[in-house]
């Protein structure tokens, strides 16, 4: 599973709100909703978030092995 929990911390650290992503950077509310729910998002969106936040992919997403958590 891909988790986007790191995204929200990075956004807070960079002082970028969800509102700003929507209004200034034209990130759709649907994409943000999928990110909140750790759903499927495309690589274009991840690329754009990295550019906006000036960070790497590892600062906004991480792989969690749910098979080995049992």
């Amino acid at each position: 599973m891909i988790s986007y929990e790191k995204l929200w911390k990075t956004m807070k650290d960079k002082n970028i709100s969800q509102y700003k992503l929507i209004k200034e950077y034209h990130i759709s509310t649907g994409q943000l909703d999928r990110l909140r729910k750790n759903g499927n998002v495309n690589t274009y969106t991840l690329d754009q978030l990295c550019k906006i936040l000036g960070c790497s992919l590892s600062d906004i997403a991480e792989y969690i092995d749910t098979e080995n958590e049992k």
Side-chain angles (χ1 to χ4, degrees), residues 32-60:
L32 288 174
D33 188 52
R34 285 189 286 282
L35 288 161
R36 274 192 297 277
K37 295 176 181 176
N38 293 322
N40 293 327
V41 294
N42 60 43
T43 55
Y44 176 81
T45 299
L46 297 175
D47 181 58
Q48 291 301 304
L49 288 169
C50 287
K51 286 178 185 175
I52 292 165
L53 297 169
C55 67
S56 68
L57 186 57
S58 63
D59 294 322
I60 63 174

Side-chain angles (χ1 to χ4, degrees), residues 7 20 48:
L7 169 63
K20 190 170 187 174
Q48 291 301 304

Side-chain angles (χ1 to χ4, degrees), residues 7 10-11 14-32 35 42 44-55:
L7 169 63
T10 300
M11 285 174 54
K14 303 277 184 169
N15 201 28
I16 304 259
S17 67
Q18 290 183 52
Y19 179 81
K20 190 170 187 174
L21 286 178
I22 294 165
K23 294 299 181 187
E24 291 185 27
Y25 298 104
H26 309 291
I27 302 293
S28 75
T29 55
Q31 288 287 349
L32 288 174
L35 288 161
N42 60 43
Y44 176 81
T45 299
L46 297 175
D47 181 58
Q48 291 301 304
L49 288 169
C50 287
K51 286 178 185 175
I52 292 165
L53 297 169
C55 67

Side-chain angles (χ1 to χ4, degrees), residues 1-17:
M1 175 179 94
I2 303 296
S3 170
Y4 298 104
E5 288 301 314
K6 288 183 169 185
L7 169 63
W8 313 112
K9 181 183 181 320
T10 300
M11 285 174 54
K12 185 175 180 178
D13 292 346
K14 303 277 184 169
N15 201 28
I16 304 259
S17 67

